[in-house]
Structures are given as C-alpha cells and as structure tokens.
Amino acid sequence: LSEPVQKTFSFPPVPEDNVSQDIDHILETQSALGIDLGGTNLRVGIITMAGKIMRKYTQPNPKTYEERMELILSMCKQAMADAIPLNCRILGVGVSTGGRVNPQNGVVLDSTKLINEWSHIDLRSPVSQSLHLPVWVDNDGNCAALAERKFGHGKGVENFVTIITGTGIGGGIIQHGELIHGSTFCAAELGHIMVSLDGPECSCGSRGCVEAYASGLALQREAKRLHDEDLLVVEGMSLNNKEQVNASHLVQAARLGNSKAEGVLRTVNPSLVVLSGVLSQHYKSPVTDFISQRALSSAREVKVMTSELDSPALLGAASMVLDYTTRR
Ligand code: ADP
Ligand code: MG
Ligand code: ZN
C-alpha cells in the first residue's frame, strides 16, 4: 500500500506583507466587459469606469446563432482572464447589438438581415449563466448614445441625437437625459427613415431608407458599381485585384478628387448632432451644409459634431454596467 501523496496548498497565497495586498485591492479598477455585435464585427472590450478601453478583441461576427454564441462566450472568458493581471474588477457585462432589443429582459426581438439568426434571442440568460455576472443588453445605436452621454460630446447635454455608421446605420436619442426606446423599442431606428419611395433595397426589407444609401454596405455597393464601370480608381489610389472593394475605397477616391465618388457621398443627408462610426468624418460637412440650406429655420442652430470616442457602441454597452453597478 502506498501512502497517499500529501500535497500542501497555500491558497490564497500568503502575501509577503499585508500592506501590498491592501494597496493591490485599492488599485483594482471597477470595470465592465462590453460586447458589440455588428453586421460585420464582433468586439469585446475591458472598459474601466473612466471609459478607458484596457483591451479590445475583434473577430468577424459569425453567421449562425450557435457559432456566434460560442465565440461571444470564449472571447469573454479570455477577456475575464486578461482582466486579472490588469487589476480590472469586472462588475458585469453590457451587450450592444444590431436589432430591436427589449432592454428589460435582454432579448433581441428581431434584426435585419445584416445579422443572421438573430430574432427572438434571449441574450441575457446564456451570457449571465456562463459568466456568472449580471448582463445588460441594448441596441447598438442606443448604446452609442449612452457612450456619448457618459464619455463623449453628450456629457451634460439634455437632448441630443447620435447616428452611428458601420455596416448599417444606427441611431440613438437622448431626451431629458434619458434614452428613448419607444413603445416597441424602435424609436431611434433612424437608419430606416425612408428618404425615397423607390430607392435601393434596404436590409430591413423596405426600400429607400437612409441605410440603403449611406451605410458601409450601401457605399460598398456603390463603390463596386463604379469599379465595374472602371470609374472608381483614380491617380494616387492602389487597388489590387484580390482586394474586396468597400466603402473605404469610395471615401479614398472622393478625397483624391473622384467626382463620381464624391457625388455618391453628397447625396446623404441626415440631420443630427453626434456622428460616429467609420464614416462619421466624411459625413460631417455634407450634413452641416444640408442643415444650413434645407432645415427648418428653427432647427438650423443644430450643432453637428463628430464623436471623439473609440468604439462608442462598445463603450455604451459598458456604461450600462457601470451606471447600474456603481449607483449609490
Ligand atoms: P459593424 O459594427 O456594423 O460590424 P464596423 O463599425 O465594424 O461595423 O465597420 C465595418 C463596416 O465599415 C464595413 O461595412 C466596412 O466596409 C466599413 N469600413 C471599414 N473601414 C472603413 C473606412 N476606413 N472607411 C469607410 N468604411 C469603412
Ligand atoms: Mg457597429
Ligand atoms: Zn431600412
């Protein structure tokens, strides 16, 4: 008979001196995990109370529910492990997603075809059960507005609107300091305001929505159209055969003096305050011009600003956690 192996664990590890342990504890930063689910990308971030993104992870957003959930959970687990040496104490998880969301129960009610298999999805339960943390969920445009309110140009502003461009176009409306969700949670679907009765098909199934003209996907469509006619590439631009033509090429062509590309970008005219996302820099001047020429005179004082935030939807997702868990 062999003796059972005697192992001695010292857990928790005995600190060298208690002072350093106390300091470590004090240095812990209250933080949140943010998740941002878009038409193209899935992002996870460790975000502190002050709105600093300590670490960010980006993957293409998978096309099926199963793969998407699996990737969300594995990216979050990685982030939670990485949060420990960063001294970030994760208080909860905030999720920003494309689609119509009921924030009261964390369910995605439905989505456009930009995100497949993403209707009637209870996001809160699996994420919360798997990570053992409280979970908040809201639409990505709404999250972008929350981010501007907490960390950006919306600080202390009672009423403002934000428009975020990515694959699609999201909106968020803050009135009297609070998000407006509307009776069926689609109050701020500003990307689906119809600006033409027979315009291009939109991801939502309708036609002529702002999103069908001005989103990353719409501009990719226009860039491809110009490229097929050999009208996209101008001097100073390089585009090799293997590269997928996308919105960034259209923007680049316009900057380099391609008037066709510039024309496509000028047709876009939402009226708003904070512009964010991949195309925000480019929309600032057409939006400002349009407001000064065409808006009701009473609305001409509207200020147009571009967001200074890195990843507003992700930061807004985190802000839901930070606002609730640190409220006194
Ligand atoms: P989503 O949140 O919808 O996943 P992102 O905000 O990650 O989208 O942006 C991805 C979209 O933006 C894609 O449609 C891509 O073609 C477009 N895009 C990426 N970089 C640029 C850029 N520099 N200029 C214009 N469009 C861009
Ligand atoms: Mg997005
Ligand atoms: Zn639409």
Side-chain angles (χ1 to χ4, degrees):
L1 272 176
S2 59
E3 288 281 316
V5 181
Q6 197 77 36
K7 279 189 184 161
T8 48
F9 291 103
S10 75
F11 189 82
V14 183
E16 314 250 294
D17 57 80
N18 286 322
V19 178
S20 80
Q21 193 190 24
D22 285 351
I23 288 172
D24 276 355
H25 183 72
I26 294 162
L27 290 177
E28 239 180 20
T29 317
Q30 293 188 307
S31 307
L33 278 194
I35 304 174
D36 177 27
L37 293 147
T40 305
N41 293 305
L42 161 48
R43 296 192 174 85
V44 168
I46 302 170
I47 291 138
T48 69
M49 196 63 201
K52 185 166 176 213
I53 302 179
M54 298 298 287
R55 197 153 292 177
K56 186 162 78 172
Y57 312 78
T58 305
Q59 292 286 337
N61 192 349
K63 302 285 180 222
T64 66
Y65 168 80
E66 301 279 336
E67 288 175 286
R68 189 175 301 128
M69 279 318 290
E70 202 175 304
L71 186 58
I72 290 170
L73 296 177
S74 69
M75 287 169 80
C76 285
K77 283 174 185 164
Q78 176 71 56
M80 283 174 73
D82 294 348
I84 298 166
L86 291 170
N87 254 329
C88 289
R89 187 179 152 80
I90 305 293
L91 302 171
V93 184
V95 190
S96 142
T97 175
R100 202 159 59 91
V101 175
N102 180 344
Q104 283 140 26
N105 57 10
V107 169
V108 182
L109 299 165
D110 46 55
S111 310
T112 68
K113 61 184 180 196
L114 294 186
I115 310 182
N116 293 328
E117 301 186 13
W118 211 233
S119 297
H120 316 291
I121 303 296
D122 174 7
L123 252 179
R124 175 179 287 163
S125 306
V127 175
S128 166
Q129 278 156 19
S130 167
L131 304 176
H132 309 288
L133 286 168
V135 175
W136 286 264
V137 187
D138 211 329
N139 163 270
D140 50 6
N142 290 345
C143 285
L146 292 178
E148 295 300 336
R149 181 180 74 175
K150 191 172 177 69
F151 304 118
H153 291 312
K155 264 189 281 186
V157 180
E158 183 148 308
N159 305 300
F160 72 91
V161 168
T162 191
I163 298 272
I164 180 160
T165 43
T167 317
I169 295 186
I173 305 171
I174 298 277
Q175 168 136 310
H176 304 313
E178 297 292 335
L179 264 186
I180 297 188
H181 284 96
S183 53
T184 60
F185 313 108
C186 54
E189 283 295 357
L190 306 177
H192 298 289
I193 291 175
M194 202 192 266
V195 289
S196 152
L197 290 175
D198 55 358
E201 244 175 67
C202 183
S203 66
C204 70
S206 181
R207 294 187 158 273
C209 301
V210 176
E211 177 166 307
Y213 286 99
S215 63
L217 201 62
L219 295 187
Q220 179 176 47
R221 179 195 67 219
E222 293 305 307
K224 280 183 173 154
R225 193 176 54 77
L226 287 180
H227 192 50
D228 286 346
E229 296 169 28
D230 248 342
L231 296 171
L232 181 69
V233 178
V234 290
E235 213 180 300
M237 227 177 122
S238 65
L239 181 65
N240 68 45
N241 290 336
K242 283 187 217 101
E243 217 177 326
Q244 266 252 31
V245 175
N246 67 33
S248 68
H249 300 112
L250 193 81
V251 171
Q252 199 190 357
R255 271 204 202 109
L256 291 167
N258 181 331
S259 59
K260 295 257 180 200
E262 180 67 24
V264 171
L265 289 168
R266 287 257 160 201
T267 55
V268 172
N269 44 36
S271 73
L272 39 92
V273 183
V274 186
L275 302 172
S276 67
V278 286
L279 294 159
S280 58
Q281 291 295 335
H282 212 82
Y283 286 159
K284 185 171 185 222
S285 100
V287 168
T288 311
D289 292 353
F290 186 82
I291 290 172
S292 69
Q293 289 157 19
R294 302 280 293 274
L296 286 173
S297 55
S298 51
R300 283 189 194 163
E301 299 304 307
V302 169
K303 246 205 257 171
V304 178
M305 296 173 107
T306 47
S307 177
E308 280 168 7
L309 302 176
D310 170 5
S311 316
L314 191 65
L315 285 167
S319 86
M320 295 189 284
V321 177
L322 299 167
D323 283 353
Y324 280 96
T325 55
T326 60
R327 197 161 49 180
R328 281 159 215 269

